[in-house]
Amino acid sequence: QARGVDWTLIEARERLGGRVHGVTGEGGGLPLDLGATWFWPASQPSMAGLVRALGLATFAQADDGRVLQLDRADAAPQPRPVEVLHAGAHRLAAGMPALIAALAGPLPAARLRLGTVLRRLVDRGDHVELHGADAAVRESEENTAWLVSTFMMSLYLVTDQ
């Protein structure tokens, strides 16, 4: 954006964040991370730097060896001895969605295409055609196309087991 590059962010989900997702307890309670939760400052210095640059508060994950494991829905959790579970992990005080909110905050809404699924990529030599559809379009149809010279893609793959 600062370099004057024309860009569009395409996201298949109706929200940004990918695996980062969370909810807040009833009545504005504590944030609960439902996806990505921890980061390790010692082995992820870029992440630690980004968190610092965005001014997000962090705390060290408690790691005193007490762990409760729930194996069965009809039974109480059972203690499980573990010496070191998180090994220096940290969390964001407001939950990981705070990271996504801080990064997405300055992005112009007109540049975001949420709920748009890419269905086809066609290499034309000097450019690539990206073909997609928004959530209102049936799976076999497309209603959007972009001609791009450069693109970056992040994929979440689901395979049949």
Side-chain angles (χ1 to χ4, degrees):
Q1 204 168 289
R3 295 179 185 162
V5 175
D6 188 23
W7 60 273
T8 300
L9 193 152
I10 303 166
E11 169 59 57
R13 295 179 184 186
E14 292 294 335
R15 62 173 180 78
L16 295 175
R19 287 186 51 235
V20 174
H21 188 51
V23 295
T24 301
E26 293 180 20
L30 294 174
L32 175 64
D33 287 316
L34 300 176
T37 302
W38 301 279
F39 72 100
W40 286 261
S43 61
Q44 296 175 311
S46 294
M47 177 69 169
L50 176 62
V51 167
R52 267 192 313 278
L54 293 171
L56 301 173
T58 68
F59 63 91
Q61 174 64 45
D63 204 2
D64 62 6
R66 291 181 293 168
V67 174
L68 294 177
Q69 183 171 351
L70 182 62
D71 288 330
R72 297 182 15 216
D74 62 344
Q78 299 299 310
R80 179 176 167 213
V82 176
E83 282 187 37
V84 176
L85 181 64
H86 298 99
H90 280 67
R91 298 179 68 177
L92 297 184
M96 279 296 188
L99 174 66
I100 303 307
L103 291 170
L107 301 179
R111 297 287 189 168
L112 306 179
R113 293 296 303 261
L114 302 179
T116 300
V117 177
L118 289 180
R119 303 235 191 262
R120 194 165 47 107
L121 298 117
V122 181
D123 184 352
R124 298 291 187 199
D126 62 340
H127 69 278
V128 176
E129 292 177 7
L130 307 177
H131 296 267
D134 60 34
V137 175
R138 289 190 324 212
E139 191 168 319
S140 62
E141 297 177 359
E142 300 169 354
N143 68 343
T144 307
W146 294 269
L147 304 179
V148 299
S149 58
T150 305
F151 73 98
M152 186 169 60
M153 186 176 346
S154 175
L155 299 174
Y156 174 73
L157 299 176
V158 177
T159 59
D160 294 332
Q161 303 271 333

